[in-house]
Structures are given as structure tokens and as C-alpha cells.
């Protein structure tokens, strides 16, 4: 059985790589054309479940606007969460 240790530095490097990959996927040109995302898009982008997204709304970490039965989230707010600048 092989044992691999993960250091804090490894986790920080992983975080940096993950953020860079997400930013690459979003691309600056795309961000300026689409400022609001629906719940499914946010869940896919953040890799979270519907319940986790609901918790982010309830505890005020992620602001949202509800139009009819659809909830919209500002891309700017999601980027802040990804960069660790959330609430």
C-alpha cells in the first residue's frame, strides 16, 4: 500500500491551478457578454449540489435575484467567491 502525503503547499498549488482553469473556461470575452447566470450554470461552474447553492443563498455568501421562479446570480459575485473574496 502506497502512502502519499498532501501538503498545504500542494493544496495551494491545486487551488491556483483550478482557479486558472476556471478563468480560462470563462474567458474575458464571454464574461462581458453574459453578466447573469442561472442556478444550473452556477452549480456547474462551482461544482456544487443544489443544496449547497441553497446554503450559499441562505447564509448570504452568494447574492441572487429572483425573477418569477428563476434565480439569477451575478457572474461578478461568483468570481469573487472563486477568488476567495466571498462574504
Amino acid at each position: 500500500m502506497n502512502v502519499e502525503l498532501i501538503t498545504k503547499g500542494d493544496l495551494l498549488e491545486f487551488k491556483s491551478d483550478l482557479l486558472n482553469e476556471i478563468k480560462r473556461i470563462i474567458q474575458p470575452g464571454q464574461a462581458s457578454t453574459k453578466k447573469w447566470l442561472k442556478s444550473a450554470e452556477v452549480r456547474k461552474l462551482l461544482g456544487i449540489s443544489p443544496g449547497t447553492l441553497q446554503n450559499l443563498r441562505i447564509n448570504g455568501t452568494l447574492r441572487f435575484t429572483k425573477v418569477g421562479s428563476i434565480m439569477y446570480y451575478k457572474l461578478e459575485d461568483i468570481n469573487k467567491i472563486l477568488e476567495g473574496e466571498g462574504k
Side-chain angles (χ1 to χ4, degrees):
M1 181 171 139
N2 292 336
V3 176
E4 292 186 36
L5 295 177
I6 298 175
T7 65
K8 192 173 185 177
D10 293 334
L11 291 174
L12 291 173
E13 183 180 342
F14 174 72
K15 175 185 173 184
S16 176
D17 291 345
L18 184 60
L19 285 173
N20 288 334
E21 183 66 18
I22 290 171
K23 287 177 185 177
R24 184 190 65 76
I25 291 170
I26 293 175
Q27 297 174 356
Q30 239 182 353
S32 63
T33 59
K34 191 163 189 176
K35 295 183 181 186
W36 293 88
L37 301 175
K38 293 181 181 180
S39 294
E41 296 168 311
V42 173
R43 289 194 320 265
K44 184 176 179 184
L45 184 63
L46 297 177
I48 59 176
S49 69
T52 301
L53 182 56
Q54 181 178 4
N55 286 334
L56 292 174
R57 287 192 310 263
I58 290 170
N59 68 25
T61 301
L62 185 57
R63 296 181 300 173
F64 66 98
T65 299
K66 189 171 183 179
V67 178
S69 62
I70 301 173
M71 287 178 243
Y72 293 94
Y73 307 84
K74 281 187 178 179
L75 183 58
E76 173 185 321
D77 292 341
I78 296 163
N79 287 332
K80 285 180 183 177
I81 288 176
L82 289 172
E83 294 169 1
E85 300 174 14
K87 190 177 179 188

Coordinates of all heavy atoms in Angstrom, one line a residue:
M1 N 0.8 -1.2 0.0 CA 0.0 0.0 0.0 C 0.9 1.2 0.0 O 1.7 1.4 0.9 CB -0.9 0.0 1.3 CG -1.8 1.2 1.3 SD -2.9 0.9 2.7 CE -3.0 2.6 3.3
N2 N 0.7 2.1 -1.0 CA 1.5 3.3 -1.1 C 0.8 4.4 -0.3 O -0.5 4.6 -0.4 CB 1.6 3.8 -2.5 CG 2.5 2.8 -3.3 OD1 3.3 2.2 -2.7 ND2 2.3 2.8 -4.6
V3 N 1.5 5.2 0.4 CA 1.0 6.3 1.2 C 1.5 7.6 0.6 O 2.8 7.8 0.4 CB 1.4 6.3 2.7 CG1 0.9 7.5 3.4 CG2 0.9 5.0 3.3
E4 N 0.6 8.5 0.2 CA 1.1 9.8 -0.3 C 0.6 10.9 0.6 O -0.6 10.9 1.0 CB 0.5 10.0 -1.7 CG 1.0 9.1 -2.8 CD 0.5 9.4 -4.2 OE1 0.3 10.6 -4.5 OE2 0.3 8.5 -4.9
L5 N 1.5 11.8 0.9 CA 1.1 12.9 1.8 C 0.8 14.2 0.9 O 1.5 14.4 0.0 CB 2.3 13.2 2.8 CG 2.6 12.2 3.8 CD1 3.8 12.6 4.6 CD2 1.4 11.9 4.7
I6 N -0.2 14.8 1.3 CA -0.6 16.1 0.6 C -0.3 17.2 1.6 O -0.8 17.3 2.7 CB -2.1 16.1 0.2 CG1 -2.3 15.0 -0.7 CG2 -2.4 17.4 -0.4 CD1 -3.8 14.8 -1.1
T7 N 0.6 18.1 1.1 CA 1.0 19.2 2.0 C 0.1 20.4 1.7 O -0.7 20.5 0.7 CB 2.4 19.7 1.7 OG1 2.5 20.2 0.4 CG2 3.4 18.5 1.9
K8 N 0.2 21.4 2.6 CA -0.6 22.7 2.4 C -0.2 23.3 1.1 O -1.0 23.9 0.4 CB -0.3 23.6 3.6 CG -1.3 24.8 3.7 CD -1.1 25.5 5.0 CE -2.1 26.6 5.1 NZ -2.0 27.3 6.4
G9 N 1.1 23.3 0.8 CA 1.6 23.8 -0.5 C 1.0 23.2 -1.7 O 0.7 23.8 -2.7
D10 N 0.8 21.8 -1.6 CA 0.1 21.1 -2.7 C -1.3 21.6 -2.9 O -1.8 21.8 -4.0 CB 0.1 19.6 -2.4 CG 1.5 19.0 -2.4 OD1 2.4 19.5 -3.1 OD2 1.7 17.9 -1.7
L11 N -2.0 21.8 -1.8 CA -3.4 22.3 -1.8 C -3.4 23.7 -2.4 O -4.3 24.0 -3.2 CB -4.0 22.2 -0.5 CG -4.3 20.8 0.1 CD1 -4.8 20.9 1.5 CD2 -5.2 20.1 -0.8
L12 N -2.5 24.6 -2.0 CA -2.5 25.9 -2.6 C -2.2 25.9 -4.0 O -2.8 26.7 -4.8 CB -1.5 26.8 -1.8 CG -1.8 27.1 -0.4 CD1 -0.6 27.8 0.3 CD2 -3.1 28.0 -0.3
E13 N -1.3 25.0 -4.5 CA -1.0 24.9 -5.9 C -2.2 24.4 -6.7 O -2.5 24.9 -7.7 CB 0.2 24.0 -6.1 CG 0.6 23.8 -7.5 CD 1.8 22.9 -7.7 OE1 2.5 22.6 -6.7 OE2 2.0 22.4 -8.8
F14 N -2.9 23.4 -6.1 CA -4.1 22.9 -6.7 C -5.2 24.0 -6.9 O -5.8 24.1 -7.9 CB -4.7 21.7 -5.9 CG -6.0 21.2 -6.4 CD1 -6.0 20.5 -7.6 CD2 -7.1 21.5 -5.7 CE1 -7.3 20.0 -8.0 CE2 -8.3 21.0 -6.2 CZ -8.4 20.3 -7.3
K15 N -5.3 24.8 -5.8 CA -6.3 25.9 -5.8 C -6.0 26.9 -6.9 O -6.8 27.3 -7.7 CB -6.3 26.6 -4.5 CG -7.2 27.8 -4.4 CD -7.1 28.6 -3.1 CE -7.8 29.9 -3.2 NZ -7.7 30.7 -1.9
S16 N -4.7 27.2 -7.0 CA -4.3 28.2 -8.1 C -4.5 27.6 -9.5 O -5.1 28.3 -10.4 CB -2.8 28.5 -7.9 OG -2.3 29.3 -8.9
D17 N -4.2 26.3 -9.7 CA -4.4 25.7 -11.0 C -5.9 25.6 -11.3 O -6.3 25.9 -12.4 CB -3.8 24.3 -11.0 CG -2.3 24.2 -10.9 OD1 -1.7 25.3 -11.2 OD2 -1.8 23.2 -10.7
L18 N -6.7 25.3 -10.3 CA -8.2 25.2 -10.5 C -8.8 26.6 -10.9 O -9.5 26.7 -11.8 CB -8.8 24.7 -9.2 CG -10.3 24.4 -9.3 CD1 -10.7 23.4 -10.4 CD2 -10.8 23.9 -8.0
L19 N -8.4 27.6 -10.2 CA -8.8 29.0 -10.5 C -8.4 29.4 -11.9 O -9.2 30.0 -12.6 CB -8.3 30.0 -9.5 CG -9.0 30.0 -8.1 CD1 -8.3 30.9 -7.1 CD2 -10.5 30.3 -8.2
N20 N -7.2 29.1 -12.3 CA -6.7 29.5 -13.6 C -7.5 28.7 -14.7 O -7.9 29.3 -15.7 CB -5.2 29.2 -13.8 CG -4.4 30.1 -13.0 OD1 -4.8 31.3 -12.7 ND2 -3.2 29.7 -12.6
E21 N -7.8 27.5 -14.4 CA -8.6 26.7 -15.4 C -10.0 27.2 -15.5 O -10.6 27.3 -16.6 CB -8.6 25.2 -15.0 CG -9.4 24.3 -15.9 CD -8.7 24.2 -17.3 OE1 -7.5 24.5 -17.4 OE2 -9.4 23.8 -18.2
I22 N -10.6 27.6 -14.4 CA -12.0 28.2 -14.4 C -12.0 29.5 -15.2 O -12.9 29.8 -16.0 CB -12.6 28.3 -13.0 CG1 -12.9 26.9 -12.4 CG2 -13.8 29.1 -13.0 CD1 -13.2 26.9 -11.0
K23 N -11.0 30.3 -14.9 CA -10.9 31.6 -15.6 C -10.7 31.4 -17.1 O -11.2 32.1 -17.9 CB -9.8 32.4 -15.0 CG -10.1 33.0 -13.6 CD -8.9 33.7 -13.1 CE -9.1 34.2 -11.7 NZ -8.0 34.9 -11.1
R24 N -9.9 30.4 -17.5 CA -9.7 30.1 -18.9 C -11.0 29.7 -19.5 O -11.3 30.1 -20.7 CB -8.7 29.0 -19.0 CG -8.3 28.7 -20.5 CD -7.5 27.5 -20.6 NE -8.2 26.2 -20.3 CZ -9.1 25.6 -21.0 NH1 -9.4 26.1 -22.2 NH2 -9.7 24.5 -20.6
I25 N -11.8 28.9 -18.8 CA -13.1 28.4 -19.4 C -14.0 29.6 -19.5 O -14.7 29.7 -20.6 CB -13.7 27.4 -18.4 CG1 -12.9 26.1 -18.5 CG2 -15.2 27.1 -18.8 CD1 -13.3 25.0 -17.5
I26 N -14.1 30.5 -18.6 CA -15.0 31.6 -18.6 C -14.6 32.6 -19.7 O -15.4 33.1 -20.5 CB -15.0 32.4 -17.3 CG1 -15.7 31.5 -16.2 CG2 -15.8 33.7 -17.4 CD1 -15.7 32.1 -14.8
Q27 N -13.3 32.8 -19.9 CA -12.7 33.7 -20.9 C -13.3 35.2 -20.7 O -14.5 35.3 -20.6 CB -12.9 33.2 -22.3 CG -12.2 31.9 -22.5 CD -12.5 31.4 -23.9 OE1 -13.3 31.9 -24.6 NE2 -11.9 30.2 -24.2
P28 N -12.4 36.2 -20.8 CA -12.8 37.5 -20.6 C -13.9 38.0 -21.6 O -14.8 38.7 -21.3 CB -11.5 38.3 -20.9 CG -10.4 37.4 -20.6 CD -11.0 36.0 -20.9
G29 N -13.8 37.6 -22.9 CA -14.8 38.0 -23.9 C -16.2 37.5 -23.5 O -17.2 38.1 -23.8
Q30 N -16.3 36.3 -22.9 CA -17.6 35.7 -22.5 C -18.2 36.4 -21.3 O -19.4 36.6 -21.3 CB -17.3 34.2 -22.2 CG -18.1 33.3 -23.0 CD -17.9 31.9 -22.5 OE1 -17.1 31.6 -21.7 NE2 -18.7 31.0 -23.0
A31 N -17.3 36.8 -20.4 CA -17.8 37.4 -19.2 C -18.5 38.7 -19.4 O -19.4 39.1 -18.8 CB -16.6 37.6 -18.2
S32 N -18.0 39.5 -20.4 CA -18.6 40.8 -20.7 C -20.0 40.7 -21.4 O -20.8 41.6 -21.3 CB -17.7 41.6 -21.5 OG -17.5 41.0 -22.8
T33 N -20.2 39.5 -22.1 CA -21.5 39.4 -22.8 C -22.5 38.8 -21.8 O -23.7 39.0 -22.0 CB -21.3 38.5 -24.0 OG1 -20.8 37.3 -23.7 CG2 -20.4 39.2 -25.0
K34 N -22.1 38.0 -20.9 CA -23.1 37.3 -20.0 C -22.8 37.7 -18.6 O -21.8 37.3 -18.0 CB -23.0 35.8 -20.2 CG -24.1 35.1 -19.5 CD -24.2 33.6 -20.0 CE -25.5 33.0 -19.5 NZ -25.7 31.7 -20.0
K35 N -23.7 38.5 -18.0 CA -23.4 39.0 -16.7 C -24.2 38.3 -15.6 O -23.9 38.4 -14.4 CB -23.7 40.5 -16.6 CG -22.8 41.3 -17.5 CD -23.1 42.8 -17.3 CE -22.2 43.6 -18.3 NZ -22.2 45.0 -18.1
W36 N -25.2 37.6 -16.0 CA -26.1 36.9 -15.1 C -26.1 35.4 -15.4 O -26.2 35.0 -16.6 CB -27.5 37.4 -15.1 CG -27.6 38.8 -14.6 CD1 -27.4 40.0 -15.3 CD2 -27.8 39.2 -13.2 NE1 -27.6 41.1 -14.5 CE2 -27.8 40.7 -13.2 CE3 -28.1 38.5 -12.1 CZ2 -28.0 41.4 -12.1 CZ3 -28.3 39.3 -10.9 CH2 -28.3 40.7 -10.9
L37 N -26.1 34.5 -14.4 CA -26.2 33.1 -14.6 C -27.3 32.5 -13.9 O -27.7 33.0 -12.8 CB -24.9 32.4 -14.1 CG -23.6 32.9 -14.8 CD1 -22.4 32.2 -14.1 CD2 -23.5 32.6 -16.2
K38 N -27.9 31.4 -14.5 CA -29.0 30.7 -13.8 C -28.4 29.7 -12.8 O -27.2 29.4 -12.9 CB -29.8 30.0 -14.8 CG -30.6 30.9 -15.7 CD -31.5 30.1 -16.7 CE -32.2 31.0 -17.6 NZ -33.1 30.3 -18.6
S39 N -29.2 29.2 -11.9 CA -28.7 28.2 -10.9 C -27.9 27.1 -11.4 O -26.9 26.7 -10.9 CB -29.9 27.7 -10.1 OG -30.5 28.8 -9.4
A40 N -28.4 26.4 -12.5 CA -27.7 25.3 -13.1 C -26.3 25.6 -13.6 O -25.4 24.9 -13.4 CB -28.5 24.7 -14.2
E41 N -26.2 26.8 -14.1 CA -24.9 27.3 -14.6 C -23.9 27.5 -13.5 O -22.8 27.2 -13.5 CB -25.0 28.5 -15.5 CG -25.8 28.3 -16.7 CD -26.2 29.6 -17.4 OE1 -26.8 30.5 -16.7 OE2 -26.0 29.7 -18.6
V42 N -24.5 28.1 -12.4 CA -23.6 28.4 -11.2 C -23.2 27.1 -10.6 O -22.0 26.9 -10.2 CB -24.4 29.2 -10.2 CG1 -23.6 29.4 -8.9 CG2 -24.7 30.6 -10.8
R43 N -24.1 26.1 -10.4 CA -23.8 24.8 -9.9 C -22.7 24.1 -10.7 O -21.7 23.5 -10.1 CB -25.0 23.9 -9.7 CG -26.0 24.4 -8.7 CD -27.0 23.3 -8.4 NE -27.5 22.5 -9.5 CZ -28.6 22.8 -10.2 NH1 -29.4 23.9 -9.8 NH2 -29.0 22.1 -11.2
K44 N -22.8 24.2 -12.0 CA -21.8 23.5 -12.8 C -20.5 24.2 -12.7 O -19.4 23.6 -12.6 CB -22.3 23.6 -14.3 CG -21.4 22.8 -15.3 CD -21.9 22.8 -16.6 CE -21.0 22.1 -17.6 NZ -21.5 22.1 -19.0
L45 N -20.5 25.5 -12.7 CA -19.2 26.3 -12.6 C -18.5 26.1 -11.3 O -17.3 25.9 -11.3 CB -19.5 27.8 -12.8 CG -18.4 28.8 -12.8 CD1 -17.5 28.5 -14.0 CD2 -18.8 30.2 -12.9
L46 N -19.3 26.0 -10.2 CA -18.7 25.9 -8.9 C -18.5 24.4 -8.5 O -17.8 24.1 -7.5 CB -19.5 26.6 -7.8 CG -19.6 28.1 -7.9 CD1 -20.5 28.7 -6.8 CD2 -18.2 28.8 -7.9
G47 N -19.2 23.5 -9.2 CA -19.1 22.1 -8.9 C -19.8 21.8 -7.6 O -19.2 21.0 -6.8
I48 N -21.0 22.3 -7.4 CA -21.7 22.1 -6.2 C -23.1 21.6 -6.4 O -23.6 21.6 -7.5 CB -21.8 23.4 -5.4 CG1 -22.5 24.5 -6.2 CG2 -20.4 23.9 -4.9 CD1 -22.8 25.8 -5.4
S49 N -23.7 21.1 -5.4 CA -25.1 20.5 -5.5 C -26.1 21.6 -5.3 O -25.8 22.7 -4.8 CB -25.2 19.4 -4.4 OG -25.3 20.1 -3.1
P50 N -27.4 21.3 -5.6 CA -28.4 22.3 -5.4 C -28.5 22.7 -3.9 O -28.8 23.8 -3.6 CB -29.7 21.5 -5.9 CG -29.2 20.5 -6.9 CD -27.8 20.1 -6.4
G51 N -28.4 21.7 -3.0 CA -28.4 22.1 -1.6 C -27.3 23.0 -1.2 O -27.5 23.9 -0.4
T52 N -26.1 22.8 -1.7 CA -25.0 23.7 -1.4 C -25.3 25.1 -1.9 O -25.0 26.1 -1.2 CB -23.7 23.2 -1.9 OG1 -23.4 21.9 -1.4 CG2 -22.5 24.1 -1.6
L53 N -25.8 25.2 -3.1 CA -26.2 26.5 -3.7 C -27.2 27.2 -2.8 O -27.1 28.4 -2.5 CB -26.7 26.4 -5.1 CG -27.0 27.6 -5.8 CD1 -25.8 28.6 -5.8 CD2 -27.5 27.3 -7.2
Q54 N -28.2 26.4 -2.3 CA -29.2 27.0 -1.4 C -28.6 27.5 -0.2 O -28.9 28.6 0.3 CB -30.3 25.9 -1.1 CG -31.4 26.4 -0.2 CD -32.5 25.4 0.0 OE1 -32.3 24.2 -0.4 NE2 -33.5 25.8 0.7
N55 N -27.6 26.8 0.4 CA -27.0 27.2 1.6 C -26.2 28.5 1.4 O -26.2 29.4 2.2 CB -26.0 26.1 2.2 CG -26.8 25.0 2.8 OD1 -27.9 25.2 3.3 ND2 -26.2 23.8 2.8
L56 N -25.6 28.6 0.2 CA -24.8 29.9 -0.1 C -25.8 31.0 -0.2 O -25.5 32.2 0.2 CB -24.1 29.7 -1.4 CG -22.9 28.8 -1.5 CD1 -22.4 28.6 -2.9 CD2 -21.8 29.2 -0.5
R57 N -27.0 30.8 -0.7 CA -28.0 31.9 -0.7 C -28.5 32.2 0.7 O -28.6 33.4 1.1 CB -29.2 31.4 -1.6 CG -29.0 31.4 -3.0 CD -30.3 31.2 -3.8 NE -31.2 30.2 -3.4 CZ -31.2 29.0 -3.9 NH1 -30.4 28.7 -4.9 NH2 -32.0 28.0 -3.4
I58 N -28.8 31.2 1.5 CA -29.4 31.4 2.8 C -28.4 32.1 3.7 O -28.8 33.0 4.4 CB -29.8 30.0 3.4 CG1 -31.0 29.4 2.7 CG2 -30.1 30.2 4.9 CD1 -31.3 28.0 3.1
N59 N -27.1 31.7 3.7 CA -26.2 32.4 4.6 C -25.6 33.7 4.1 O -24.8 34.3 4.7 CB -25.1 31.4 5.0 CG -24.2 31.0 3.9 OD1 -24.0 31.8 2.9 ND2 -23.5 29.9 4.0
G60 N -26.1 34.1 2.9 CA -25.7 35.4 2.3 C -24.4 35.4 1.6 O -23.9 36.5 1.2
T61 N -23.8 34.3 1.4 CA -22.5 34.2 0.7 C -22.6 34.6 -0.7 O -21.8 35.2 -1.3 CB -21.9 32.8 0.8 OG1 -21.7 32.5 2.2 CG2 -20.5 32.7 0.1
L62 N -23.7 34.2 -1.3 CA -24.0 34.4 -2.8 C -25.3 35.2 -2.9 O -26.4 34.6 -2.6 CB -24.0 33.1 -3.5 CG -24.1 33.2 -5.0 CD1 -23.0 34.1 -5.6 CD2 -24.0 31.8 -5.7
R63 N -25.2 36.4 -3.4 CA -26.5 37.2 -3.6 C -27.1 36.7 -4.9 O -26.5 36.1 -5.8 CB -26.1 38.7 -3.8 CG -25.6 39.3 -2.5 CD -25.3 40.7 -2.7 NE -24.3 40.9 -3.8 CZ -24.0 42.1 -4.2 NH1 -24.5 43.2 -3.7 NH2 -23.1 42.2 -5.2
F64 N -28.5 36.9 -5.0 CA -29.2 36.4 -6.1 C -30.4 37.3 -6.3 O -30.8 38.1 -5.5 CB -29.7 35.0 -5.9 CG -30.7 34.8 -4.8 CD1 -32.0 34.7 -5.1 CD2 -30.3 34.7 -3.5 CE1 -33.0 34.6 -4.1 CE2 -31.2 34.5 -2.5 CZ -32.6 34.5 -2.8
T65 N -30.9 37.2 -7.5 CA -32.2 38.0 -7.9 C -33.1 37.0 -8.4 O -32.8 36.1 -9.3 CB -31.9 39.0 -9.0 OG1 -30.9 40.0 -8.4 CG2 -33.1 39.8 -9.4
K66 N -34.4 37.0 -7.9 CA -35.4 36.0 -8.4 C -36.4 36.8 -9.3 O -36.9 37.8 -8.9 CB -36.1 35.5 -7.2 CG -37.0 34.3 -7.5 CD -37.5 33.6 -6.2 CE -38.4 32.5 -6.6 NZ -38.9 31.8 -5.4
V67 N -36.5 36.2 -10.5 CA -37.5 36.7 -11.5 C -38.4 35.6 -11.7 O -38.1 34.6 -12.3 CB -36.8 37.2 -12.7 CG1 -37.8 37.7 -13.7 CG2 -35.8 38.3 -12.5
G68 N -39.7 35.7 -11.3 CA -40.6 34.6 -11.4 C -40.1 33.5 -10.5 O -39.9 33.7 -9.3
S69 N -39.9 32.3 -11.1 CA -39.4 31.2 -10.3 C -38.0 30.9 -10.6 O -37.4 29.9 -10.2 CB -40.3 30.0 -10.7 OG -40.1 29.6 -12.1
I70 N -37.3 31.8 -11.4 CA -35.9 31.6 -11.8 C -35.0 32.5 -11.0 O -35.2 33.7 -10.8 CB -35.7 31.8 -13.3 CG1 -36.6 30.8 -14.1 CG2 -34.2 31.6 -13.7 CD1 -36.6 31.1 -15.6
M71 N -33.9 31.9 -10.4 CA -32.9 32.7 -9.7 C -31.7 33.0 -10.6 O -31.2 32.1 -11.3 CB -32.5 31.9 -8.4 CG -33.6 32.0 -7.4 SD -33.2 31.1 -5.9 CE -34.4 29.8 -6.0
Y72 N -31.3 34.2 -10.5 CA -30.1 34.7 -11.3 C -29.0 35.1 -10.3 O -29.3 35.7 -9.3 CB -30.5 35.8 -12.2 CG -31.5 35.4 -13.3 CD1 -32.8 35.5 -13.2 CD2 -31.0 34.8 -14.5 CE1 -33.7 35.1 -14.2 CE2 -31.9 34.4 -15.5 CZ -33.2 34.6 -15.3 OH -34.1 34.2 -16.3
Y73 N -27.8 34.9 -10.8 CA -26.6 35.2 -10.0 C -25.7 36.1 -10.8 O -25.4 35.7 -12.0 CB -25.9 34.0 -9.5 CG -26.8 33.0 -8.8 CD1 -27.6 32.1 -9.5 CD2 -26.9 33.0 -7.4 CE1 -28.4 31.2 -8.9 CE2 -27.8 32.2 -6.7 CZ -28.5 31.3 -7.5 OH -29.4 30.4 -6.8
K74 N -25.1 37.1 -10.2 CA -24.1 37.9 -11.0 C -22.8 37.1 -11.1 O -22.3 36.6 -10.2 CB -23.8 39.2 -10.2 CG -24.9 40.3 -10.4 CD -24.4 41.6 -9.7 CE -25.4 42.7 -9.9 NZ -24.9 43.9 -9.3
L75 N -22.3 37.1 -12.3 CA -21.0 36.5 -12.6 C -19.9 37.1 -11.8 O -19.0 36.4 -11.3 CB -20.7 36.6 -14.1 CG -19.4 35.9 -14.6 CD1 -19.5 34.4 -14.2 CD2 -19.2 36.1 -16.1
E76 N -20.0 38.4 -11.5 CA -19.0 39.1 -10.7 C -19.0 38.6 -9.3 O -17.9 38.4 -8.7 CB -19.4 40.6 -10.7 CG -18.7 41.5 -9.8 CD -19.2 42.9 -9.8 OE1 -19.6 43.4 -10.8 OE2 -19.3 43.5 -8.7
D77 N -20.1 38.3 -8.7 CA -20.2 37.7 -7.4 C -19.6 36.3 -7.3 O -18.9 35.9 -6.4 CB -21.6 37.7 -6.9 CG -22.2 39.1 -6.6 OD1 -21.4 40.0 -6.5 OD2 -23.4 39.2 -6.6
I78 N -19.9 35.5 -8.4 CA -19.3 34.2 -8.4 C -17.8 34.2 -8.5 O -17.1 33.4 -7.9 CB -20.0 33.4 -9.6 CG1 -21.5 33.2 -9.3 CG2 -19.3 32.0 -9.8 CD1 -22.3 32.9 -10.5
N79 N -17.3 35.1 -9.3 CA -15.8 35.3 -9.5 C -15.2 35.6 -8.1 O -14.1 35.2 -7.8 CB -15.5 36.3 -10.5 CG -15.7 35.8 -11.9 OD1 -15.7 34.6 -12.2 ND2 -16.0 36.6 -12.9
K80 N -15.9 36.5 -7.3 CA -15.4 36.8 -6.0 C -15.3 35.6 -5.1 O -14.3 35.4 -4.4 CB -16.2 37.9 -5.4 CG -16.1 39.3 -6.0 CD -17.0 40.3 -5.3 CE -16.8 41.6 -5.9 NZ -17.8 42.6 -5.3
I81 N -16.3 34.7 -5.2 CA -16.2 33.5 -4.4 C -15.1 32.6 -4.8 O -14.3 32.1 -4.0 CB -17.6 32.8 -4.5 CG1 -18.6 33.5 -3.7 CG2 -17.4 31.3 -4.0 CD1 -20.0 32.9 -3.8
L82 N -14.9 32.5 -6.1 CA -13.8 31.7 -6.7 C -12.4 32.2 -6.3 O -11.5 31.4 -6.0 CB -13.9 31.6 -8.2 CG -15.1 30.7 -8.7 CD1 -15.1 30.9 -10.2 CD2 -14.9 29.3 -8.4
E83 N -12.3 33.5 -6.1 CA -11.1 34.1 -5.8 C -10.9 34.2 -4.2 O -9.9 34.8 -3.8 CB -10.9 35.5 -6.4 CG -10.9 35.4 -7.9 CD -11.0 36.8 -8.6 OE1 -11.2 37.8 -7.9 OE2 -11.0 36.8 -9.8
G84 N -11.9 33.7 -3.5 CA -11.8 33.7 -2.0 C -12.1 35.0 -1.4 O -11.8 35.3 -0.3
E85 N -12.8 35.9 -2.1 CA -13.2 37.2 -1.6 C -14.7 37.2 -1.2 O -15.2 38.3 -1.0 CB -13.0 38.3 -2.7 CG -11.6 38.4 -3.1 CD -11.4 39.4 -4.3 OE1 -12.4 40.2 -4.5 OE2 -10.4 39.4 -4.9
G86 N -15.3 36.1 -1.1 CA -16.7 36.0 -0.7 C -16.9 36.6 0.7 O -16.0 37.1 1.4
K87 N -18.1 36.7 1.1 CA -18.5 37.4 2.4 C -17.5 37.3 3.5 O -16.7 37.2 3.9 CB -19.8 36.7 2.8 CG -20.4 37.4 4.0 CD -21.7 36.8 4.3 CE -22.4 37.5 5.5 NZ -23.5 36.9 6.0

